[in-house]
Amino acid sequence: MPSTFEELGLSEATLKALGELGYEEPTPIQDRTIRVLLEGADVIAQAQTGTGKTAAFALPIIEKIETTSRTPQALVLTPTRELAMQVAEAFHSYSKHHRISVLPVYGGQPIDRQLRALDRGVQVVVGTPGRVFDHIRRGTLQLGQVRTVVLDEADEMLDMGFIEDIEAILKATPYTRQTALFSATMPAPIVKLAQQYMHEPQRITVESEQKTLPQIRQVYYEVGRRDKFEVLARILDFEQPTSAIIFCRTKLEVDSLGERLTARAYPAETLHGDLNQTQRDRVMDRFRSGQVELLVATDVAARGLDIELVSHVINYDIPLDPDSYVHRIGRTGRAGRAGVAVTLVTPRERRLWDMIQRTTGSSLQRMRLPTIADVIARRREAFKETLREAIAQDGLEPYTILAESMSDEFSPTELAAAAFKLLLGPTPDETDDRLAEPEPMERDRGQRPEGKRRERNQMGPERGMTRLYIDVGREDGVRPGDLVGAIANEADIPGRSIGAIELYDHFSLVDVPSNQVKNVLNALKGTRIRNRKVTPSIAKPVRTRS
Ligand code: AMP
């Protein structure tokens, strides 16, 4: 069993920051490394980007900073300026409740800005070896008080020809320092460097349990970080999962993805460590019974879930290590049923992904993103299947009579085509196929009328729906997902049964099924949405200006 962050011996301030970031438990590399670094030992850790290695070294450093002294106490060397900036940002977020100053130094940034910052005094320096060495030569960076040095992505630094700079920098730091080396691979020069400059380092590799994977189709998509949500939406349209678990890395990401999905008419429930047992049970009931098709979850929350009928596991965030990949995808393909595992991989995660594939021995298929045309084709196939089923069932009589009554006027093909048109809705414009644009995707979803957040009809709510007035709006920070979430949770009705939503600055209009009005009004009264107490009422039947 992995430890908790508490068990690793981290301070309250750090635990608080991690909680706010939505981290639920240490990743394997954090589990193994943090303890050892806190004890003061040197560490050689074999870890890829994406495994959580930054926190693995940053957290122990933060715990040990003497806040009263404003000289550099820790130095982190990274191969690139991007990584230096990222690591510095990570330090900032992890040390939110400590008072620690962190300075990234890298080539390309005006040196006088760095000089001024160094003059004011910093406690953690994160930089590329070239620029750090520059500062040492100029006498602008004093490393005499440095207690910890981290070589991050050491193999990359080696490839970039930084080895001499690194050695010179290490020589400029106290012999008694603690040294931690992180590297995805361990080529000979790195091993030699470690032998020369480290004191009895502990070697940490995160081994995989190597499980046999169930017989499921495993595919992945390479996506830009910013396109992830649109890609997910497209994949959902294409795959039409009957029941999918979507994994995110943190609680915050779970909440935010859940909201975005719901707002885009993909009814989703969310599951993470902050829910109490009752809430959890409610979510699981809705997912198990098929009221919602999508469950967005963290690894921790999904652990121990026993659900038989998961058609898809979607790794919205790539898992942090091979074991967690195996655990996640083991949620589908149960009881001999076919399952699909889909993973989204961003360019930065490619190496980690290669490692996961290698370690799990999975044969994974890289997929081309389905185009709108693919989605339409798939939808039509599904529609044909539905028609075949309808024909096979009884009860066509009344419709046959209707069709025959028009057979003098139109051919059977014309009649069927008109009926299909009405059922399927307008055909999306395939030339509009630009992922960044949400609009075509939204139109794309005509296939599932019950799940679609219908376009507001200017004349009023649809038949069978009643419009409610809720006295919170955009200015209160309310988003459509908040309203759907609150109504679905409090009144215990499926999110998909909620109709159009219109957000104004100080109020919102929401269509709910007329037979649920009483229930919704009672359930919502006095509850809080975005921390505002609400008083809902039936909206007056006046036309609103939009
Ligand atoms: P890294 O390997 O340090 O680049 O981290 C990869 C990603 O994992 C970053 O987005 C981190 O914010 C995130 N991360 C690191 N540790 C955890 C954790 N314990 N739980 C969830 N996410 C984490």
Side-chain angles (χ1 to χ4, degrees):
M1 269 308 273
S3 316
T4 61
F5 281 118
E6 284 84 357
E7 285 162 356
L8 294 181
L10 297 167
S11 66
E12 280 302 318
T14 300
L15 294 176
K16 190 159 174 229
L18 294 175
E20 286 164 3
L21 285 168
Y23 292 8
E24 294 192 320
E25 64 171 8
T27 67
I29 192 77
Q30 290 163 2
D31 192 16
R32 305 276 311 279
T33 311
I34 290 176
R35 236 187 281 263
V36 181
L37 286 179
L38 281 174
E39 280 163 10
D42 283 7
V43 162
I44 299 179
Q46 198 154 356
Q48 314 276 346
T49 301
T51 52
K53 66 182 167 61
T54 314
F57 61 76
L59 298 179
I61 287 178
I62 291 168
E63 297 294 353
K64 290 189 189 184
I65 294 291
E66 294 227 5
T67 41
T68 46
S69 152
R70 291 189 71 83
T71 48
Q73 297 165 43
L75 171 68
V76 180
L77 296 178
T78 67
T80 63
R81 56 185 275 183
E82 287 73 28
L83 188 59
M85 286 189 279
Q86 267 177 33
V87 169
E89 270 166 33
F91 265 98
H92 278 296
S93 53
Y94 297 142
S95 65
K96 196 171 153 212
H97 301 291
H98 292 83
R99 289 189 153 262
I100 287 180
S101 56
V102 182
L103 179 70
V105 302
Y106 43 82
Q109 192 197 36
I111 202 152
D112 32 320
R113 196 182 318 160
Q114 292 171 3
L115 292 178
R116 279 198 302 277
L118 285 170
D119 250 6
R120 281 196 301 273
V122 295
Q123 288 150 331
V124 179
V125 174
V126 184
T128 48
R131 184 51 77 94
V132 168
F133 187 55
D134 259 5
H135 279 292
I136 295 176
R137 258 197 318 226
R138 287 162 174 251
T140 45
L141 181 59
Q142 307 299 335
L143 297 179
Q145 303 299 317
V146 163
R147 280 178 301 182
T148 305
V149 175
V150 176
L151 308 178
D152 192 13
E153 304 199 352
D155 49 356
E156 295 278 325
M157 294 200 281
L158 174 78
D159 284 350
M160 297 175 73
F162 279 138
I163 197 99
E164 283 169 15
D165 286 341
I166 294 175
E167 289 191 51
I169 295 166
L170 286 173
K171 283 181 189 146
T173 60
Y175 178 76
T176 52
R177 71 171 183 269
Q178 175 184 44
T179 312
L181 184 153
F182 288 77
S183 198
T185 57
M186 291 290 164
I190 299 282
V191 176
K192 200 168 141 226
L193 186 81
Q195 278 164 354
Q196 241 174 322
Y197 292 93
M198 297 177 78
H199 312 293
E200 297 173 23
Q202 294 210 20
R203 286 202 64 146
I204 293 177
T205 48
V206 180
E207 284 134 32
S208 160
E209 291 165 22
Q210 280 274 16
K211 287 219 192 91
T212 38
L213 293 169
Q215 283 307 310
I216 54 181
R217 185 161 69 91
Q218 299 173 55
V219 301
Y220 69 98
Y221 295 90
E222 291 200 354
V223 302
R225 206 156 51 92
R226 277 167 215 219
D227 292 334
K228 270 171 94 169
F229 181 72
E230 296 305 333
V231 169
L232 174 67
R234 180 69 59 86
I235 292 170
L236 291 174
D237 286 343
F238 184 68
E239 294 275 347
Q240 299 268 323
T242 51
S243 160
I245 304 185
I246 304 177
F247 282 99
C248 294
R249 220 164 263 161
T250 67
K251 294 184 252 194
L252 297 191
E253 283 157 12
V254 164
D255 280 337
S256 125
L257 182 61
E259 271 180 20
R260 291 179 77 184
L261 284 170
T262 307
R264 281 277 287 274
Y266 300 87
E269 289 285 348
T270 54
L271 197 66
H272 57 58
D274 281 357
L275 302 190
N276 64 33
Q277 195 56 41
T278 323
Q279 293 168 316
R280 221 181 128 89
D281 290 346
R282 242 204 261 177
V283 167
M284 288 316 299
D285 279 350
R286 277 207 281 268
F287 184 59
R288 278 213 182 87
S289 66
Q291 281 183 65
V292 289
E293 289 142 17
L294 308 178
L295 180 69
V296 187
T298 56
D299 290 281
V300 178
R303 201 168 290 152
L305 282 188
D306 192 24
I307 318 164
E308 286 266 300
L309 286 172
V310 177
S311 67
H312 290 68
V313 164
I314 300 177
N315 296 310
Y316 185 70
D317 289 328
I318 183 177
L320 293 150
D321 64 297
D323 283 348
S324 126
Y325 178 73
V326 175
H327 283 146
R328 285 181 180 187
I329 71 170
R331 312 257 135 241
T332 184
R334 294 258 175 121
R337 286 192 179 82
V340 184
V342 179
T343 304
L344 305 190
V345 184
T346 64
R348 266 188 67 78
E349 294 160 344
R350 217 169 279 153
R351 277 180 89 173
L352 172 63
W353 183 234
D354 286 346
M355 192 269 279
I356 291 176
Q357 295 192 53
R358 262 200 321 275
T359 327
T360 57
S362 313
S363 60
L364 284 137
Q365 210 181 340
R366 175 168 173 198
M367 301 291 279
R368 172 183 65 82
L369 192 65
T371 60
I372 290 184
D374 294 335
V375 174
I376 297 171
R378 174 67 72 99
R379 230 166 71 176
R380 296 211 165 131
E381 278 314 308
F383 182 66
K384 284 190 207 164
E385 201 42 50
T386 319
L387 282 180
R388 284 189 193 105
E389 283 166 17
I391 293 170
Q393 282 167 6
D394 291 339
L396 280 185
E397 228 93 304
Y399 308 97
T400 321
I401 296 168
L402 178 62
E404 274 168 6
S405 74
M406 295 178 80
S407 62
D408 286 348
E409 255 177 289
F410 304 104
S411 74
T413 310
E414 278 172 326
L415 282 176
F420 295 168
K421 183 181 164 196
L422 291 176
L423 274 170
L424 286 172
T427 305
D429 185 355
E430 292 165 34
T431 56
D432 253 3
D433 199 355
R434 261 169 303 156
L435 250 190
E437 279 189 357
E439 267 317 295
M441 307 286 300
E442 185 72 325
R443 259 188 279 139
D444 228 354
R445 297 186 47 75
Q447 170 73 19
R448 288 195 289 182
E450 79 281 45
K452 184 166 158 57
R453 187 110 16 253
R454 296 162 199 93
E455 285 290 306
R456 157 124 356 245
N457 168 355
Q458 286 294 321
M459 301 307 289
E462 282 174 65
R463 206 182 312 162
M465 304 292 276
T466 299
R467 184 160 302 169
L468 297 187
Y469 170 94
I470 299 179
D471 55 340
V472 288
R474 211 179 279 130
E475 296 277 64
D476 306 298
V478 169
R479 281 167 288 184
D482 298 322
L483 296 166
V484 174
I487 295 172
N489 271 315
E490 296 301 329
D492 206 13
I493 61 172
R496 72 164 78 163
S497 70
I498 299 166
I501 291 180
E502 232 169 70
L503 273 185
Y504 293 84
D505 284 349
H506 301 290
F507 67 95
S508 319
L509 300 175
V510 184
D511 292 354
V512 300
S514 302
N515 60 5
Q516 291 290 342
V517 167
K518 245 201 212 143
N519 172 21
V520 173
L521 287 178
N522 281 337
L524 274 193
K525 205 173 294 163
T527 57
R528 287 171 177 273
I529 298 180
R530 288 267 142 192
N531 219 14
R532 298 263 166 168
K533 248 204 188 131
V534 299
T535 316
S537 56
I538 296 178
K540 297 205 177 64
V542 284
R543 276 186 59 173
T544 49
R545 272 179 294 138
S546 47

